[in-house]
Amino acid sequence: KKSLRNKQWYQRRVRGIGPEPTTDKFVAIMHGEQDQIIPGNALVVDQRHPYKVLTRFGNNFLQRFEAAVIKNPVLQGLNLLDTPGVLAGAKQTVNRGYDFTGVVKWFADRVDMIVMLFDAHKLDISDEFSQTIMACKGNDTKIRIVLNKADKVTNQQLMRVYGALMWSLGKVLATPEVARVYIGSFWDQPYSNDDNRKLFEAEEEDLFKDIQTVPRGSIVRKLNDLVKRCRIAKTHAYIMAHIKNEMPVFGKEAKMKQIIANLPKIFQQLEQSTGIPAGDFPNVEEFQEKLRTFDITKLAKLNQGMIDALDKMIQTELPRLMAQVPQDQELANDDYMMAVRKRDGGALYETDLTPFGDGA
């Protein structure tokens, strides 16, 4: 269970993180000089944290969002987010009271790594889990799959479970290649089936090394996300400018309906006239839905000067920043790892230790 691994990381139990039914909250785990729990409503108004925009999901969500502040060197280099358990079976009919997949998407767009857990002995991708995975679309390179509690099944069963998982994920993710899958029993209890001990230990080590790269690659990932957002903003500007130019003085409502219906053709025209790749355009159905409720009078004219400045930043400024990353980040990583290794014990004290115990 992810809560047990988290306990290994911080060497203590964090309130609100544990087996069902306690995992009904989004818990941001971060470093601080004094251990404390910060409720969601207080967290979103704290200017030191980037959560202000989450107020749009309403009070029902904020009551199920909190931060666990822990004085721990491991957390000086990264923050963790523990999510609620995904509902399955009859429980899927329960209304959470807030836009769960919307919250997941908000976090997925901003984190550096997404770890999805599946239990080998009760493999089930429920409707809500499928929606949650779909909410992570566009962040496929961040996703890591963990097939947990693999010691609960035999070797033959494990092969079948792994194949079924890959088949199910292939349908949901709709990608040619599924994300990396780590197999093991990721907690501090003895293995129920010792046949695959070497495999589980090797998988634990690989997963831990993968997690260790998060602080080291965070700057590069942030720059990558910045470039992606710049390209999206440029595409959006051209789309909205085209729509504004098409609007007549009278009969705007009828014209907007026509534009929405012809949006796929408009995207193709803009692709040819501006040279913007097809992959930079938004999902047609989602964009059509948003246009139906959009006030066209709010549109401003295209500012070509800002487009030129954006192109300059993408082509000149960002590559220059990228060239500075290796040296700057290497120094930062050395400082971080040195601070972590000063701990007496803990998950990152030595490179041959993992936060999952030895499984013995």
Side-chain angles (χ1 to χ4, degrees):
K1 188 73 179 179
K2 61 186 176 187
S3 55
L4 293 172
R5 293 197 311 282
N6 287 342
K7 181 181 177 183
Q8 286 292 105
W9 273 78
Y10 335 120
Q11 297 185 329
R12 71 194 76 181
R13 170 70 67 181
V14 178
R15 191 191 77 184
I17 301 178
E20 293 185 60
T22 60
T23 53
D24 65 340
K25 293 184 177 181
F26 285 84
V27 183
I29 303 117
M30 60 187 69
H31 180 268
E33 292 302 316
Q34 183 176 0
D35 292 2
Q36 61 177 318
I37 299 294
I38 305 176
N41 281 288
L43 189 60
V44 294
V45 298
D46 192 335
Q47 298 298 322
R48 296 172 299 175
H49 305 296
Y51 302 123
K52 182 179 179 180
V53 70
L54 290 175
T55 55
R56 75 180 192 219
F57 293 107
N59 190 58
N60 283 339
F61 163 69
L62 295 179
Q63 290 180 345
R64 293 170 177 81
F65 176 50
E66 63 183 28
V69 181
I70 303 172
K71 187 176 182 180
N72 188 304
V74 172
L75 297 173
Q76 289 180 345
L78 76 164
N79 291 341
L80 303 175
L81 180 76
D82 187 77
T83 63
V86 177
L87 301 179
K91 291 187 291 185
Q92 293 185 69
T93 60
V94 177
N95 185 4
R96 290 183 182 269
Y98 63 92
D99 184 6
F100 178 74
T101 55
V103 174
V104 170
K105 179 171 176 54
W106 188 90
F107 280 111
D109 289 341
R110 289 160 178 79
V111 299
D112 293 311
M113 181 182 292
I114 302 168
V115 181
M116 296 183 180
L117 286 89
F118 297 85
D119 287 346
H121 67 292
K122 52 176 182 179
L123 184 61
D124 175 33
I125 301 183
S126 64
D127 292 342
E128 187 177 61
F129 205 168
S130 296
Q131 294 170 6
T132 301
I133 296 174
M134 291 301 296
C136 297
K137 290 288 287 185
N139 300 287
D140 300 351
T141 58
K142 301 178 182 179
I143 296 176
R144 305 293 186 273
I145 306 297
V146 171
L147 186 58
N148 196 24
K149 301 179 184 177
D151 61 321
K152 301 291 185 182
V153 297
T154 64
N155 289 352
Q156 187 178 27
Q157 290 172 333
L158 181 58
M159 292 177 61
R160 292 173 179 172
V161 168
Y162 179 81
L165 175 63
M166 298 295 284
W167 182 80
S168 299
L169 287 175
K171 290 200 305 179
V172 177
L173 292 174
T175 55
E177 296 182 3
V178 179
R180 169 71 158 93
V181 178
Y182 297 94
I183 304 172
S185 181
F186 298 93
W187 65 341
D188 57 355
Q189 298 300 311
Y191 293 139
S192 298
N193 182 355
D194 203 50
D195 293 345
N196 294 312
R197 171 179 292 275
K198 290 185 178 180
L199 171 65
F200 295 162
E201 290 175 349
E203 291 288 278
E204 287 178 0
E205 184 177 353
D206 287 349
L207 176 58
F208 187 55
K209 288 179 179 178
D210 201 356
I211 295 173
Q212 279 185 314
T213 65
V214 171
R216 300 175 183 176
S218 63
I219 297 177
V220 174
R221 279 187 287 270
K222 285 181 174 62
L223 287 174
N224 180 69
D225 287 343
L226 178 58
V227 173
K228 182 172 70 174
R229 295 180 69 179
C230 287
R231 293 167 66 96
I232 291 173
K234 178 182 176 181
T235 305
H236 184 80
Y238 274 114
I239 294 172
M240 301 311 287
H242 178 87
I243 293 175
K244 183 175 179 62
N245 293 334
E246 291 291 313
M247 296 305 294
V249 178
F250 302 104
K252 287 184 171 62
E253 185 175 346
K255 184 63 177 179
M256 177 58 81
K257 291 181 179 179
Q258 181 183 349
I259 288 174
I260 292 174
N262 294 329
L263 198 60
K265 293 182 179 179
I266 292 175
F267 281 7
Q268 291 178 357
Q269 293 172 5
L270 287 173
E271 181 184 348
Q272 295 173 358
S273 61
T274 63
I276 296 175
D280 287 356
F281 284 87
N283 180 274
V284 174
E285 289 79 11
E286 292 179 2
F287 207 83
Q288 286 173 326
E289 189 63 30
K290 292 180 179 179
L291 282 178
R292 290 187 178 97
T293 57
F294 184 76
D295 185 0
I296 197 67
T297 61
K298 294 182 179 180
L299 285 177
K301 292 183 178 180
L302 182 68
N303 188 327
Q304 190 59 46
M306 294 184 68
I307 295 294
D308 294 340
L310 189 62
D311 287 336
K312 180 181 178 182
M313 183 178 71
I314 295 174
Q315 298 170 8
T316 306
E317 301 298 333
L318 288 177
R320 189 164 60 198
L321 283 175
M322 286 292 294
Q324 298 175 8
V325 167
Q327 181 178 0
D328 292 346
Q329 193 156 0
E330 184 178 352
L331 293 174
N333 290 335
D334 289 345
D335 293 341
Y336 166 63
M337 295 307 294
M338 183 63 70
V340 167
R341 286 174 177 151
K342 288 181 180 179
R343 293 188 62 194
D344 293 327
L348 296 176
Y349 182 62
E350 295 179 2
T351 57
D352 60 344
L353 295 179
T354 79
F356 313 117
D358 57 10

